[in-house]
């Protein structure tokens, strides 16, 4: 199953879980303290960064005609830095928490799923989406974050342009940056799985296997 499909499946599972919780709460309206199921969230480490790289690369690869979409997030030409190197740059200089990278993935996927008419992850939009989503994640989650002037410099944008991108992303998300523990854990698991899959060596092709080792 592709990483993109896994993310969609994770979201569907989360929505189903939220619906169950809402139904349970409705049954307990008369109770003063309804029972709430606690979700244990696993650790976040460099795997989530690697998983974010793998997920965004795959989403951009299968974007198809989405590169033709007119949006502020779509650049006129492909950036001169790869998605992997760009995420590594953000990782090195944003000084944000590992949890922010999970939130970054969630925000991008929310846009890709709910605002398909405006936003799609492609080689022309991935860098801008990553920079803005990670900025919003850091501001929402972390106790310490930096100014947009700093983030824009690291991400490679003019401050005015970066401010406009951040504002538009926040509007497209309807300012909904909160993530439930269940949704966070589901996406964290998706990123960890994506990192593990990307780290596995590619299986040799059937043609190469038939040829055998070179003489």
């Amino acid at each position: 199953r592709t990483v993109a499909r896994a993310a969609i499946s994770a979201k569907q599972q989360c929505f189903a879980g939220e619906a169950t919780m809402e139904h349970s709460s409705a049954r307990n309206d008369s109770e003063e303290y309804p029972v709430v199921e606690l979700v244990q969230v696993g650790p976040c480490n460099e795997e989530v960064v690697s998983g974010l790289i793998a997920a965004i690369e795959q989403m951009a690869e299968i974007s198809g005609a989405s590169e033709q979409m007119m949006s502020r997030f779509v650049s006129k030409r492909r950036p001169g830095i790869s998605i992997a190197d760009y995420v590594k740059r953000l990782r090195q200089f944003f000084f944000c928490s590992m949890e922010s990278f999970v939130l970054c993935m969630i925000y991008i996927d929310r846009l890709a799923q709910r605002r398909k008419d405006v936003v799609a992850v492609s080689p022309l939009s991935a860098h801008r989406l990553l920079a803005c989503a990670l900025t919003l994640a850091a501001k929402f989650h972390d106790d310490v974050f930096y100014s947009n002037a700093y983030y824009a410099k690291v991400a490679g944008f003019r401050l005015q342009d970066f401010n406009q991108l951040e504002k538009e992303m926040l509007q497209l998300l309807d300012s909904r940056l909160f993530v439930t523990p269940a949704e966070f854990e589901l996406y964290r698991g998706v990123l960890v799985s994506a990192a593990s899959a990307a780290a596995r060596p590619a299986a040799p092709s059937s043609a190469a296997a038939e040829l055998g080792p070179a003489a």
Side-chain angles (χ1 to χ4, degrees), residues 97-110 133-134 136-138 140-142 177-180 184 187 191:
S97 64
M98 291 296 180
E99 288 79 7
S100 293
F101 288 90
V102 180
L103 294 177
C104 175
M105 181 71 252
I106 294 174
Y107 296 159
I108 291 176
D109 196 51
R110 283 181 180 179
L134 190 59
L136 290 178
F140 182 78
H141 178 270
D142 295 353
L177 301 182
F178 177 75
V179 175
T180 65
F184 182 91
Y187 274 87
L191 294 185

mmCIF file of all heavy atoms in Angstrom, residues 97-110 133-134 136-138 140-142 177-180 184 187 191:
data_model
loop_
_atom_site.group_PDB
_atom_site.id
_atom_site.type_symbol
_atom_site.label_atom_id
_atom_site.label_comp_id
_atom_site.label_asym_id
_atom_site.label_seq_id
_atom_site.Cartn_x
_atom_site.Cartn_y
_atom_site.Cartn_z
ATOM 1 N N SER A 97 10.540 20.906 17.173
ATOM 2 C CA SER A 97 10.416 19.580 17.760
ATOM 3 C C SER A 97 10.149 18.533 16.686
ATOM 4 O O SER A 97 9.691 18.846 15.579
ATOM 5 C CB SER A 97 9.271 19.566 18.773
ATOM 6 O OG SER A 97 8.031 19.806 18.104
ATOM 7 N N MET A 98 10.411 17.273 17.012
ATOM 8 C CA MET A 98 10.099 16.179 16.097
ATOM 9 C C MET A 98 8.598 16.058 15.881
ATOM 10 O O MET A 98 8.135 15.688 14.800
ATOM 11 C CB MET A 98 10.657 14.864 16.661
ATOM 12 C CG MET A 98 12.162 14.784 16.651
ATOM 13 S SD MET A 98 12.819 14.805 14.973
ATOM 14 C CE MET A 98 14.568 14.701 15.299
ATOM 15 N N GLU A 99 7.839 16.382 16.912
ATOM 16 C CA GLU A 99 6.383 16.325 16.782
ATOM 17 C C GLU A 99 5.879 17.274 15.705
ATOM 18 O O GLU A 99 4.863 17.009 15.062
ATOM 19 C CB GLU A 99 5.727 16.669 18.127
ATOM 20 C CG GLU A 99 5.864 15.592 19.195
ATOM 21 C CD GLU A 99 7.217 15.574 19.864
ATOM 22 O OE1 GLU A 99 8.033 16.488 19.599
ATOM 23 O OE2 GLU A 99 7.474 14.651 20.670
ATOM 24 N N SER A 100 6.602 18.358 15.484
ATOM 25 C CA SER A 100 6.190 19.327 14.463
ATOM 26 C C SER A 100 6.218 18.717 13.064
ATOM 27 O O SER A 100 5.421 19.102 12.206
ATOM 28 C CB SER A 100 7.101 20.563 14.513
ATOM 29 O OG SER A 100 6.918 21.286 15.707
ATOM 30 N N PHE A 101 7.105 17.759 12.845
ATOM 31 C CA PHE A 101 7.172 17.125 11.526
ATOM 32 C C PHE A 101 5.952 16.233 11.284
ATOM 33 O O PHE A 101 5.495 16.086 10.152
ATOM 34 C CB PHE A 101 8.470 16.334 11.383
ATOM 35 C CG PHE A 101 9.679 17.207 11.230
ATOM 36 C CD1 PHE A 101 10.390 17.641 12.338
ATOM 37 C CD2 PHE A 101 10.101 17.608 9.971
ATOM 38 C CE1 PHE A 101 11.488 18.467 12.203
ATOM 39 C CE2 PHE A 101 11.212 18.436 9.815
ATOM 40 C CZ PHE A 101 11.905 18.870 10.938
ATOM 41 N N VAL A 102 5.438 15.639 12.344
ATOM 42 C CA VAL A 102 4.207 14.860 12.212
ATOM 43 C C VAL A 102 3.038 15.794 11.913
ATOM 44 O O VAL A 102 2.217 15.530 11.033
ATOM 45 C CB VAL A 102 3.934 14.043 13.488
ATOM 46 C CG1 VAL A 102 2.636 13.240 13.339
ATOM 47 C CG2 VAL A 102 5.101 13.103 13.793
ATOM 48 N N LEU A 103 2.953 16.902 12.649
ATOM 49 C CA LEU A 103 1.896 17.875 12.411
ATOM 50 C C LEU A 103 1.993 18.439 10.994
ATOM 51 O O LEU A 103 0.972 18.671 10.340
ATOM 52 C CB LEU A 103 1.993 19.013 13.429
ATOM 53 C CG LEU A 103 1.724 18.652 14.892
ATOM 54 C CD1 LEU A 103 1.923 19.866 15.777
ATOM 55 C CD2 LEU A 103 0.322 18.089 15.060
ATOM 56 N N CYS A 104 3.207 18.657 10.525
ATOM 57 C CA CYS A 104 3.424 19.136 9.164
ATOM 58 C C CYS A 104 2.778 18.201 8.152
ATOM 59 O O CYS A 104 2.073 18.642 7.229
ATOM 60 C CB CYS A 104 4.927 19.260 8.901
ATOM 61 S SG CYS A 104 5.364 19.715 7.200
ATOM 62 N N MET A 105 2.977 16.906 8.326
ATOM 63 C CA MET A 105 2.374 15.918 7.428
ATOM 64 C C MET A 105 0.860 15.957 7.509
ATOM 65 O O MET A 105 0.158 15.869 6.486
ATOM 66 C CB MET A 105 2.895 14.525 7.797
ATOM 67 C CG MET A 105 2.372 13.386 6.919
ATOM 68 S SD MET A 105 3.050 13.373 5.235
ATOM 69 C CE MET A 105 1.649 13.889 4.267
ATOM 70 N N ILE A 106 0.331 16.093 8.701
ATOM 71 C CA ILE A 106 -1.119 16.126 8.884
ATOM 72 C C ILE A 106 -1.721 17.344 8.191
ATOM 73 O O ILE A 106 -2.733 17.233 7.481
ATOM 74 C CB ILE A 106 -1.475 16.133 10.382
ATOM 75 C CG1 ILE A 106 -1.060 14.810 11.029
ATOM 76 C CG2 ILE A 106 -2.972 16.362 10.585
ATOM 77 C CD1 ILE A 106 -1.246 14.765 12.537
ATOM 78 N N TYR A 107 -1.111 18.500 8.356
ATOM 79 C CA TYR A 107 -1.638 19.719 7.733
ATOM 80 C C TYR A 107 -1.616 19.619 6.207
ATOM 81 O O TYR A 107 -2.579 20.003 5.535
ATOM 82 C CB TYR A 107 -0.837 20.935 8.192
ATOM 83 C CG TYR A 107 -0.925 21.231 9.669
ATOM 84 C CD1 TYR A 107 0.041 22.005 10.311
ATOM 85 C CD2 TYR A 107 -1.967 20.737 10.450
ATOM 86 C CE1 TYR A 107 -0.034 22.283 11.672
ATOM 87 C CE2 TYR A 107 -2.050 20.996 11.809
ATOM 88 C CZ TYR A 107 -1.074 21.765 12.411
ATOM 89 O OH TYR A 107 -1.151 22.027 13.758
ATOM 90 N N ILE A 108 -0.524 19.109 5.671
ATOM 91 C CA ILE A 108 -0.429 18.973 4.213
ATOM 92 C C ILE A 108 -1.464 17.991 3.700
ATOM 93 O O ILE A 108 -2.114 18.227 2.677
ATOM 94 C CB ILE A 108 0.996 18.532 3.803
ATOM 95 C CG1 ILE A 108 1.999 19.666 4.072
ATOM 96 C CG2 ILE A 108 1.038 18.123 2.331
ATOM 97 C CD1 ILE A 108 3.440 19.295 3.784
ATOM 98 N N ASP A 109 -1.654 16.899 4.414
ATOM 99 C CA ASP A 109 -2.634 15.901 3.966
ATOM 100 C C ASP A 109 -4.060 16.431 4.096
ATOM 101 O O ASP A 109 -4.924 16.106 3.288
ATOM 102 C CB ASP A 109 -2.469 14.603 4.756
ATOM 103 C CG ASP A 109 -3.171 13.434 4.086
ATOM 104 O OD1 ASP A 109 -2.934 13.225 2.882
ATOM 105 O OD2 ASP A 109 -3.971 12.753 4.744
ATOM 106 N N ARG A 110 -4.312 17.233 5.118
ATOM 107 C CA ARG A 110 -5.634 17.846 5.241
ATOM 108 C C ARG A 110 -5.930 18.714 4.023
ATOM 109 O O ARG A 110 -7.039 18.680 3.468
ATOM 110 C CB ARG A 110 -5.693 18.709 6.513
ATOM 111 C CG ARG A 110 -5.861 17.924 7.803
ATOM 112 C CD ARG A 110 -5.933 18.857 9.003
ATOM 113 N NE ARG A 110 -6.103 18.104 10.243
ATOM 114 C CZ ARG A 110 -6.171 18.667 11.446
ATOM 115 N NH1 ARG A 110 -6.068 19.988 11.561
ATOM 116 N NH2 ARG A 110 -6.335 17.920 12.532
ATOM 117 N N ALA A 133 3.742 24.574 6.264
ATOM 118 C CA ALA A 133 3.122 23.655 7.214
ATOM 119 C C ALA A 133 4.011 23.442 8.431
ATOM 120 O O ALA A 133 3.521 23.370 9.571
ATOM 121 C CB ALA A 133 2.835 22.314 6.534
ATOM 122 N N LEU A 134 5.314 23.356 8.224
ATOM 123 C CA LEU A 134 6.222 23.157 9.358
ATOM 124 C C LEU A 134 6.283 24.419 10.228
ATOM 125 O O LEU A 134 6.400 24.324 11.453
ATOM 126 C CB LEU A 134 7.622 22.788 8.859
ATOM 127 C CG LEU A 134 8.609 22.315 9.931
ATOM 128 C CD1 LEU A 134 8.075 21.081 10.661
ATOM 129 C CD2 LEU A 134 9.975 21.999 9.318
ATOM 130 N N LEU A 136 3.747 26.566 10.674
ATOM 131 C CA LEU A 136 2.514 26.555 11.457
ATOM 132 C C LEU A 136 2.590 25.528 12.585
ATOM 133 O O LEU A 136 2.139 25.782 13.706
ATOM 134 C CB LEU A 136 1.321 26.242 10.552
ATOM 135 C CG LEU A 136 0.904 27.321 9.557
ATOM 136 C CD1 LEU A 136 -0.272 26.838 8.708
ATOM 137 C CD2 LEU A 136 0.536 28.614 10.273
ATOM 138 N N ALA A 137 3.167 24.368 12.278
ATOM 139 C CA ALA A 137 3.290 23.312 13.285
ATOM 140 C C ALA A 137 4.157 23.758 14.451
ATOM 141 O O ALA A 137 3.826 23.536 15.618
ATOM 142 C CB ALA A 137 3.860 22.046 12.649
ATOM 143 N N ALA A 138 5.287 24.386 14.137
ATOM 144 C CA ALA A 138 6.194 24.839 15.186
ATOM 145 C C ALA A 138 5.541 25.914 16.053
ATOM 146 O O ALA A 138 5.662 25.905 17.286
ATOM 147 C CB ALA A 138 7.487 25.373 14.570
ATOM 148 N N PHE A 140 2.347 26.346 16.538
ATOM 149 C CA PHE A 140 1.218 25.799 17.287
ATOM 150 C C PHE A 140 1.665 24.890 18.420
ATOM 151 O O PHE A 140 1.081 24.919 19.513
ATOM 152 C CB PHE A 140 0.297 25.019 16.342
ATOM 153 C CG PHE A 140 -0.921 24.449 17.013
ATOM 154 C CD1 PHE A 140 -2.008 25.250 17.309
ATOM 155 C CD2 PHE A 140 -0.979 23.100 17.362
ATOM 156 C CE1 PHE A 140 -3.132 24.736 17.940
ATOM 157 C CE2 PHE A 140 -2.096 22.577 17.993
ATOM 158 C CZ PHE A 140 -3.175 23.390 18.281
ATOM 159 N N HIS A 141 2.695 24.095 18.175
ATOM 160 C CA HIS A 141 3.064 23.054 19.147
ATOM 161 C C HIS A 141 4.197 23.452 20.089
ATOM 162 O O HIS A 141 4.138 23.161 21.290
ATOM 163 C CB HIS A 141 3.467 21.775 18.404
ATOM 164 C CG HIS A 141 3.914 20.664 19.304
ATOM 165 N ND1 HIS A 141 5.245 20.510 19.678
ATOM 166 C CD2 HIS A 141 3.220 19.676 19.934
ATOM 167 C CE1 HIS A 141 5.344 19.465 20.485
ATOM 168 N NE2 HIS A 141 4.152 18.938 20.657
ATOM 169 N N ASP A 142 5.223 24.104 19.575
ATOM 170 C CA ASP A 142 6.435 24.313 20.358
ATOM 171 C C ASP A 142 6.318 25.532 21.268
ATOM 172 O O ASP A 142 5.694 26.539 20.922
ATOM 173 C CB ASP A 142 7.637 24.483 19.434
ATOM 174 C CG ASP A 142 7.939 23.219 18.641
ATOM 175 O OD1 ASP A 142 7.301 22.185 18.908
ATOM 176 O OD2 ASP A 142 8.816 23.271 17.754
ATOM 177 N N LEU A 177 -5.801 23.932 13.495
ATOM 178 C CA LEU A 177 -4.474 23.340 13.654
ATOM 179 C C LEU A 177 -4.435 22.268 14.736
ATOM 180 O O LEU A 177 -3.446 21.543 14.843
ATOM 181 C CB LEU A 177 -3.450 24.443 13.986
ATOM 182 C CG LEU A 177 -3.307 25.564 12.945
ATOM 183 C CD1 LEU A 177 -2.229 26.539 13.384
ATOM 184 C CD2 LEU A 177 -2.990 25.003 11.562
ATOM 185 N N PHE A 178 -5.500 22.178 15.511
ATOM 186 C CA PHE A 178 -5.529 21.175 16.572
ATOM 187 C C PHE A 178 -5.601 19.768 15.985
ATOM 188 O O PHE A 178 -6.295 19.513 15.004
ATOM 189 C CB PHE A 178 -6.727 21.404 17.482
ATOM 190 C CG PHE A 178 -6.864 20.353 18.558
ATOM 191 C CD1 PHE A 178 -6.029 20.351 19.660
ATOM 192 C CD2 PHE A 178 -7.822 19.354 18.440
ATOM 193 C CE1 PHE A 178 -6.144 19.376 20.642
ATOM 194 C CE2 PHE A 178 -7.949 18.373 19.421
ATOM 195 C CZ PHE A 178 -7.105 18.390 20.524
ATOM 196 N N VAL A 179 -4.854 18.868 16.594
ATOM 197 C CA VAL A 179 -4.813 17.465 16.177
ATOM 198 C C VAL A 179 -5.070 16.603 17.405
ATOM 199 O O VAL A 179 -4.420 16.784 18.440
ATOM 200 C CB VAL A 179 -3.454 17.100 15.553
ATOM 201 C CG1 VAL A 179 -3.371 15.606 15.245
ATOM 202 C CG2 VAL A 179 -3.207 17.913 14.288
ATOM 203 N N THR A 180 -6.006 15.678 17.303
ATOM 204 C CA THR A 180 -6.282 14.796 18.431
ATOM 205 C C THR A 180 -5.122 13.820 18.625
ATOM 206 O O THR A 180 -4.388 13.517 17.674
ATOM 207 C CB THR A 180 -7.562 13.986 18.203
ATOM 208 O OG1 THR A 180 -7.363 13.094 17.090
ATOM 209 C CG2 THR A 180 -8.749 14.894 17.921
ATOM 210 N N PHE A 184 -2.836 12.065 15.663
ATOM 211 C CA PHE A 184 -1.386 12.233 15.693
ATOM 212 C C PHE A 184 -0.685 10.884 15.685
ATOM 213 O O PHE A 184 0.268 10.673 14.929
ATOM 214 C CB PHE A 184 -0.983 13.019 16.941
ATOM 215 C CG PHE A 184 0.495 13.288 17.044
ATOM 216 C CD1 PHE A 184 1.036 14.448 16.522
ATOM 217 C CD2 PHE A 184 1.349 12.372 17.656
ATOM 218 C CE1 PHE A 184 2.401 14.696 16.602
ATOM 219 C CE2 PHE A 184 2.701 12.605 17.737
ATOM 220 C CZ PHE A 184 3.234 13.773 17.215
ATOM 221 N N TYR A 187 -0.822 9.120 12.223
ATOM 222 C CA TYR A 187 0.118 9.682 11.245
ATOM 223 C C TYR A 187 1.565 9.421 11.649
ATOM 224 O O TYR A 187 2.421 9.217 10.780
ATOM 225 C CB TYR A 187 -0.133 11.182 11.077
ATOM 226 C CG TYR A 187 -1.197 11.487 10.062
ATOM 227 C CD1 TYR A 187 -2.531 11.519 10.417
ATOM 228 C CD2 TYR A 187 -0.878 11.730 8.725
ATOM 229 C CE1 TYR A 187 -3.525 11.797 9.483
ATOM 230 C CE2 TYR A 187 -1.855 12.011 7.789
ATOM 231 C CZ TYR A 187 -3.174 12.045 8.170
ATOM 232 O OH TYR A 187 -4.149 12.306 7.234
ATOM 233 N N LEU A 191 4.303 7.612 9.197
ATOM 234 C CA LEU A 191 5.637 8.135 8.867
ATOM 235 C C LEU A 191 6.735 7.151 9.263
ATOM 236 O O LEU A 191 7.716 6.981 8.532
ATOM 237 C CB LEU A 191 5.862 9.479 9.556
ATOM 238 C CG LEU A 191 4.977 10.636 9.082
ATOM 239 C CD1 LEU A 191 5.392 11.933 9.758
ATOM 240 C CD2 LEU A 191 5.016 10.781 7.574
#
